């Protein structure tokens, strides 16, 4: 029974800032009979979705608890500081953690960066979410250090951001329950890794059947059938016309020459 007949849906969870549109588009082209359902959840909840069978696979932000999960790291994001457009740090192309020492920096509860020492001064509160922290930055009450994709996700016209090269970075990975590594999961892994539709793990159309290889006896019989006719034609080409082989005497000049001498 095909996936189309069973009404299968492939569920893909993803953390904020991850944009699965490109992979979802390729999936739609290759697997038109299996809808892909995108499940947007907070970064901390993606693993819970996978363990609870709420999703077949998901994009997570490392580190995560890997027990029972298979994980493929994909890419590392640039870390940026989000500031009002008139902030002093906008004068530079990039800033360091030390440049933020005198500013209040928000630390939202859903922060995805692993800090050993938090940058800047502690803010007056810990916002519940990154979106809440962005609003506080827009109000001029502090700054926020986040992965660049989150700065883009929560873009506002009154805010901007600058890279912070020496800050911790967030790494995005594809994860799924190891004991549920289905054919569809393998198909999606192939898409994420850039495999073509005709690769060994893709769902390529069946190739036309190959002709069975001839057995040695068949090939020998064919060669034997071809050889006599070939040799006969070669002998026929070497045989002189009008004669009967090596015993044939030359005609014409020899005999007429002898008769001429006797007449004289």
């Amino acid at each position: 029974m095909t996936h189309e007949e069973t009404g299968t849906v492939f569920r893909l969870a993803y953390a904020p800032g991850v944009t699965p549109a490109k992979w979802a588009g390729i999936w739609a082209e290759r697997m038109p009979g299996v809808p892909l359902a995108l499940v947007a959840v907070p970064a901390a909840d993606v693993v819970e979705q996978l363990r609870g069978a709420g999703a077949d696979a998901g994009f997570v932000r490392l580190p995560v608890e890997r027990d029972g999960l298979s994980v493929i790291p994909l890419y590392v994001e640039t870390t940026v500081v989000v500031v009002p457009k008139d902030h002093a740090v906008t004068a530079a192309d990039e800033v360091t953690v030390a440049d933020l020492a005198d500013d209040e920096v928000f630390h939202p509860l859903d922060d995805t960066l692993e800090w050993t020492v938090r940058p800047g001064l502690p803010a007056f509160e810990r916002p519940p979410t990154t979106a809440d922290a962005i609003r506080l930055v827009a109000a001029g009450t502090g700054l926020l250090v986040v992965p660049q994709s989150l700065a883009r996700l929560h873009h506002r016209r009154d805010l901007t951001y600058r890279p912070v090269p020496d800050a911790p970075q967030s790494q995005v990975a594809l994860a799924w329950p190891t004991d549920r590594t289905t054919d569809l999961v393998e198909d999606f892994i192939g898409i994420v890794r850039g495999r073509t539709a005709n690769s060994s793990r893709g769902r390529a159309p069946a190739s036309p059947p190959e002709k069975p290889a001839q057995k040695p006896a068949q090939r020998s019989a064919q060669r034997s059938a071809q050889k006599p006719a070939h040799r006969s034609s070669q002998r026929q080409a070497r045989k002189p016309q009008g004669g009967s082989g090596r015993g044939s005497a030359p005609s014409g000049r020899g005999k007429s020459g002898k008769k001429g001498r006797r007449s004289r």
Side-chain angles (χ1 to χ4, degrees):
M1 185 175 292
T2 65
H3 294 299
E4 291 86 342
E5 292 170 338
T6 59
T8 302
V9 175
F10 188 76
R11 298 157 301 171
L12 179 67
Y14 65 99
V18 180
T19 52
K22 176 182 72 173
W23 299 305
I26 297 173
W27 177 277
E29 292 175 2
R30 296 187 189 177
M31 310 290 290
V34 182
L36 187 148
L38 296 176
V39 184
V41 294
D45 295 343
V46 177
V47 170
E48 181 181 343
Q49 287 285 325
L50 297 175
R51 296 193 193 283
D56 299 291
F59 290 110
V60 300
R61 290 187 180 277
L62 300 180
V64 296
E65 175 53 56
R66 298 195 181 198
D67 185 34
L69 295 180
S70 294
V71 178
I72 300 176
L74 298 177
Y75 59 89
V76 177
E77 288 197 73
T78 299
T79 302
V80 302
V81 58
V82 181
V83 300
K85 282 192 172 181
D86 58 356
H87 195 278
V89 304
T90 59
D93 293 331
E94 59 183 35
V95 299
T96 66
V97 171
D99 294 330
L100 308 178
D102 296 330
D103 290 284
E104 291 188 9
V105 179
F106 291 108
H107 182 200
L109 296 177
D110 64 354
D111 189 7
T112 60
L113 299 175
E114 291 287 309
W115 295 95
T116 53
V117 179
R118 292 289 311 172
L121 303 173
F124 65 93
E125 69 169 304
R126 288 196 66 183
T129 67
T130 297
D132 294 325
I134 290 286
R135 286 190 286 270
L136 292 172
V137 174
T141 56
L143 311 181
L144 177 65
V145 180
V146 291
Q148 183 172 298
S149 65
L150 291 178
R152 290 174 173 172
L153 176 65
H154 299 290
H155 171 70
R156 292 176 55 120
R157 300 180 67 177
D158 52 349
L159 300 179
T160 188
Y161 58 82
R162 291 291 185 272
V164 187
D166 60 343
Q169 294 176 308
S170 173
Q171 186 170 24
V172 174
L174 176 66
W176 68 95
T178 303
D179 61 358
R180 298 206 308 272
T181 307
T182 63
D183 288 343
L184 292 178
V185 170
E186 289 284 8
D187 287 328
F188 191 75
I189 293 169
I191 290 173
V192 171
R193 284 185 159 172
R195 297 190 192 119
T196 65
N198 294 324
S199 66
S200 59
R201 294 191 182 183
R203 292 189 178 275
S207 301
E210 296 182 1
K211 294 181 180 179
Q214 289 184 330
K215 297 180 180 179
Q218 292 176 327
R219 290 198 297 267
S220 178
Q222 286 185 353
R223 286 198 296 267
S224 298
Q226 293 170 357
K227 284 180 180 178
H230 179 63
R231 291 172 180 171
S232 176
S233 62
Q234 287 180 335
R235 288 198 297 269
Q236 186 67 28
R238 290 197 300 267
K239 183 178 179 181
Q241 294 183 355
S244 58
R246 295 179 181 177
S248 300
S251 60
R253 292 181 58 188
K255 293 181 179 180
S256 60
K258 289 180 181 179
K259 288 180 180 179
R261 285 195 297 272
R262 289 194 188 101
S263 64
R264 287 199 295 267

